């Protein structure tokens, strides 16, 4: 076999959502910070296209690139590549990266608990992993500061009329809608409709509401639409189903860690949660993340929280992605049958 490039990947998923991890074959991108490295990857497109486009990738896949950390406290750093975005942070991907680092022996595992600090483009995240018999069984991620944006504002969506929505940031940016008001129970057979409507709502929210991170002006759009089901009380807090629609039109199989963080920030802003309370988020396939508000933390002068999320990850394989010099599609391809008529990728 001949190849002009070989990229080494350990494949993983967190509560159902794919988050592969590049462990070799790619040089660190230029940049003085992990954010600058992220921005290079987002603008350059070469690596994104190779690993995310068909035939190696697909709309269901996320891929993370391990890079040397820039912050002196960090043990490792990673850059997240999603189908249409290169985001500041991702809960499911941070769980996948942590699982690969420990199960793959890249960072030494200490049983029963391994602690490490990871550097995401959006900031440091502190990880605690419960480990047994050589397996990281549960990953706890202390996420970046999260905050509520606009509360209970009107949004006009073609074909749906006027919706009442919230916006929030949990390491990524969301427009949040009431699933029941739109007729959704967050069931598996609703995935296609949730994905389609979610993209439409996200696009409308970007056009009408916009988003601006007070400490990171580069992040100026809403990435996702979170469909949130009703809340029920538990012994330690609250529980509820949710589904997140991801551009260009798929539903997150996991409960989406950044959505859990954003939803907890909204609930804190509305007086429904406080420091120490927990929230169990249930995905469209029945998998769960547990969220907890660790502390209050202002963001750019507005109230915010430090959220923690926890979930499980599993390694699914080891791959070497190759490029034959005669391959007529070196950058891969994408078709509207699965990718949809998505907007051009944001930078």
């Amino acid at each position: 076999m001949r190849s002009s490039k070989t990229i080494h990947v350990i494949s993983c998923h967190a509560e159902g959502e794919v988050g592969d991890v590049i462990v070799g074959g790619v040089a660190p991108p230029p940049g003085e910070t992990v954010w600058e490295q992220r921005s290079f990857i987002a603008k350059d497109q070469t690596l994104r296209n190779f690993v995310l486009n068909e035939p190696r990738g697909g709309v269901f896949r996320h891929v993370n690139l391990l890079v040397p950390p820039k912050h002196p406290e960090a043990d490792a750093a990673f850059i997240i590549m999603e189908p249409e975005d290169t985001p500041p942070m991702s809960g499911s991907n941070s769980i996948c990266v942590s699982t690969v680092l420990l199960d793959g022996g890249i960072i030494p595992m200490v049983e029963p608990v391994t602690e490490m600090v990871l550097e995401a483009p959006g900031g440091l995240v502190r990880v605690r992993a419960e480990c047994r018999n050589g397996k990281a069984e549960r990953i706890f991620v202390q996420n970046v500061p999260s905050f509520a944006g606009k509360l209970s504002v009107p949004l006009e969506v073609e074909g749906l009329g006027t919706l009442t929505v919230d916006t929030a940031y949990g390491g990524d940016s969301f427009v949040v809608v009431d699933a029941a008001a739109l007729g959704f129970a967050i069931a598996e057979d609703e995935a296609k409709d949730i994905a389609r409507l979610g993209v439409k709502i996200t696009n409308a929210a970007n056009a009408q509401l916009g988003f601006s991170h007070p400490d990171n002006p580069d992040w100026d759009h809403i990435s996702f639409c979170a469909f949130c089901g009703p809340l029920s009380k538990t012994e330690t807090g609250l529980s509820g189903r949710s589904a997140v629609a991801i551009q260009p039109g798929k539903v997150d199989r996991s409960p989406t860690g950044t959505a859990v963080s954003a939803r907890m920030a909204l609930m804190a802003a509305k007086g429904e949660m406080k420091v120490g309370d927990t929230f169990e988020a249930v995905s469209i396939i029945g998998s769960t993340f547990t969220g907890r508000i660790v502390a209050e933390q202002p963001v750019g002068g507005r109230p915010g929280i430090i959220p923690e999320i926890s979930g499980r990850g599993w390694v699914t394989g080891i791959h070497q992605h190759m490029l034959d010099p005669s391959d007529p599609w070196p950058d891969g391809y994408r078709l509207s049958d699965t990718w949809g008529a998505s907007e051009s990728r944001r930078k």
Side-chain angles (χ1 to χ4, degrees):
M1 294 182 291
R2 60 179 184 172
S3 180
S4 58
K5 70 169 71 175
T6 304
I7 294 179
H8 305 272
V9 174
I10 298 179
S11 294
C12 190
H13 78 88
E15 301 292 353
E17 185 73 347
V18 173
D20 291 352
V21 182
I22 297 172
V23 297
V26 177
E32 294 298 316
T33 65
V34 177
W35 183 262
E36 289 180 0
Q37 292 177 311
R38 178 222 73 95
S39 299
F40 174 86
I41 285 177
K43 183 177 181 179
D44 177 72
Q45 297 289 312
T46 303
L47 180 62
R48 285 185 50 91
N49 288 340
F50 188 75
V51 296
L52 290 174
N53 286 357
E54 298 174 48
R56 296 166 194 86
V59 73
F60 65 92
R61 189 177 300 281
H62 298 177
V63 181
N64 302 277
L65 173 65
L66 293 182
V67 294
K70 300 290 187 178
H71 196 285
E73 289 186 50
D75 300 296
F78 66 106
I79 297 166
I80 310 135
M81 292 173 282
E82 295 179 347
E84 290 287 342
D85 262 323
T86 313
M89 174 54 185
S90 166
S92 64
N93 283 291
S94 64
I95 290 172
C96 286
V97 168
S98 299
T99 300
V100 167
L101 287 171
L102 294 173
D103 288 9
I106 299 169
I107 288 180
M109 181 182 293
V110 178
E111 299 186 13
V113 175
T114 305
E115 294 185 351
M116 55 187 174
V117 178
L118 302 183
E119 188 174 7
L124 294 181
V125 294
R126 302 184 185 277
V127 174
R128 184 175 81 258
E130 296 177 347
C131 305
R132 186 175 63 169
N133 297 327
K135 168 77 179 100
E137 293 187 329
R138 189 167 194 89
I139 307 294
F140 296 78
V141 178
Q142 186 172 299
N143 198 3
V144 298
S146 303
F147 57 91
K150 296 178 171 67
L151 300 178
S152 301
V153 294
L155 178 67
E156 296 290 333
V157 182
E158 184 180 358
L160 296 177
T162 304
L163 307 182
T164 299
V165 305
D166 300 322
T167 63
Y169 181 86
D172 209 332
S173 39
F174 291 84
V175 56
V176 180
V177 301
D178 183 335
L182 291 170
F184 292 114
I186 318 290
E188 291 185 20
D189 62 359
E190 298 171 336
K192 185 174 183 179
D193 290 335
I194 289 173
R196 178 178 56 83
L197 286 178
V199 169
K200 180 182 287 190
I201 294 168
T202 300
N203 292 343
N206 274 307
Q208 297 170 43
L209 304 177
F211 179 84
S212 178
H213 192 291
D215 294 334
N216 185 357
D218 287 346
W219 202 251
D220 59 0
H221 70 269
I222 293 171
S223 296
F224 306 128
C225 177
F227 293 76
C228 294
L231 297 170
S232 60
K233 290 186 177 181
T234 67
E235 291 183 359
T236 58
L238 298 167
S239 177
R241 296 181 73 85
S242 60
V244 170
I246 298 175
Q247 298 274 12
K250 61 155 281 189
V251 173
D252 195 329
R253 275 62 173 153
S254 82
T256 313
T258 50
V260 174
S261 300
R263 192 173 185 185
M264 289 196 298
L266 286 168
M267 289 191 283
K270 297 175 181 180
E272 298 169 338
M273 286 188 74
K274 62 183 185 302
V275 173
D277 287 348
T278 64
F279 170 58
E280 182 181 62
V282 183
S283 79
I284 197 167
I285 66 169
S287 60
T288 62
F289 283 163
T290 299
R292 181 171 68 93
I293 298 180
V294 175
E296 295 178 348
Q297 173 73 53
V299 182
R302 68 180 71 184
I305 64 167
I306 298 294
E308 179 189 75
I309 54 173
S310 70
R312 301 166 298 170
W314 293 271
V315 170
T316 60
I318 298 174
H319 303 281
Q320 291 180 315
H321 293 309
M322 305 172 72
L323 176 63
D324 189 300
S326 67
D327 190 330
W329 295 281
D331 296 325
Y333 45 83
R334 54 179 64 187
L335 293 175
S336 62
D337 58 344
T338 55
W339 285 92
S342 62
E343 296 179 325
S344 61
R345 188 176 298 128
R346 301 178 179 91
K347 303 297 191 263

